[in-house]
Amino acid sequence: MSKTIIFIQAEGNSGITEAGITIPATVRDLHEVFKTHGIDFEGFEVFIDEAEAPVPHDAKDTVEGLKHGSRVHLTRCKKIKVTVHYMDRTIERAFAPGNRVRTVKQWAVREFKLNPTDAGEHVLQLCNSTTQPPTDTALAELVSGHSCDICFDLVPEKRVEG
């Protein structure tokens, strides 16, 4: 057993909470960490990093995939429906809440069959905005309210040339 650091990202809380936990950890251990840091976890699903399935609800179960530096996501969404627009085409797919923007972009590039040069010159931008989230942003951080949907436009990256 060894103590390690995890990073908790809870829906409705801005920022990241750094916490210590002993590995291997049970669901009960993880809940105790949430309580210690004043994080409400009732009614939320817990995902470790980019795992497709949430942590089980049985307090005695071991939390699989938890390691040093893991991002622990608390969200109401079991899946997040992602829509991506590119030119006159639209694609949709459900992703786990811990998946990151870069994963969505990689998927969109494959689906739209962009060549590597064009792909490198495009970024994902939230629909009806100018916000281009960093590629390491978890999808759970981008949902708002009780919505489990995100819409992106795949747009050319703005470059300053001089």
Side-chain angles (χ1 to χ4, degrees):
M1 293 194 151
S2 63
K3 189 106 171 166
T4 193
I5 299 295
I6 59 173
F7 301 98
I8 304 167
Q9 298 176 282
E11 184 178 311
N13 294 354
S14 61
I16 298 173
T17 302
E18 183 178 323
I21 192 167
T22 302
I23 302 291
T26 64
V27 173
R28 177 178 285 119
D29 297 334
L30 194 55
H31 288 177
E32 286 302 317
V33 169
F34 296 156
K35 287 178 188 173
T36 299
H37 290 279
I39 298 170
D40 178 23
F41 58 93
E42 292 300 321
F44 288 90
E45 296 293 336
V46 178
F47 287 83
I48 307 300
D49 293 319
E50 296 189 49
E52 291 296 317
V55 169
H57 292 278
D58 187 335
K60 296 176 189 169
D61 283 351
T62 299
V63 179
E64 298 296 326
L66 195 62
K67 61 188 181 304
H68 180 76
S70 284
R71 289 187 186 190
V72 178
H73 307 278
L74 280 85
T75 177
R76 286 177 169 61
C77 304
K78 288 187 179 183
K79 292 287 183 185
I80 296 177
K81 179 184 166 195
V82 176
T83 303
V84 180
H85 303 286
Y86 175 66
M87 300 177 87
D88 62 345
R89 295 184 57 207
T90 300
I91 55 176
E92 293 180 343
R93 179 179 154 196
F95 286 89
N99 282 138
R100 300 186 189 181
V101 170
R102 72 171 150 254
T103 303
V104 174
K105 182 183 176 193
Q106 290 166 350
W107 164 74
V109 164
R110 281 192 311 273
E111 290 294 309
F112 290 128
K113 296 179 174 53
L114 268 64
N115 68 49
T117 302
D118 287 342
E121 296 176 352
H122 284 74
V123 295
L124 290 175
Q125 178 172 293
L126 293 174
C127 292
N128 302 314
S129 79
T130 57
T131 303
Q132 298 174 351
T135 59
D136 68 339
T137 303
L139 298 177
E141 293 178 61
L142 300 174
V143 294
S144 58
H146 291 285
S147 170
C148 291
D149 302 84
I150 301 173
C151 177
F152 290 108
D153 293 317
L154 187 60
V155 299
E157 185 174 25
K158 292 182 178 139
R159 296 185 180 203
V160 177
E161 298 189 30

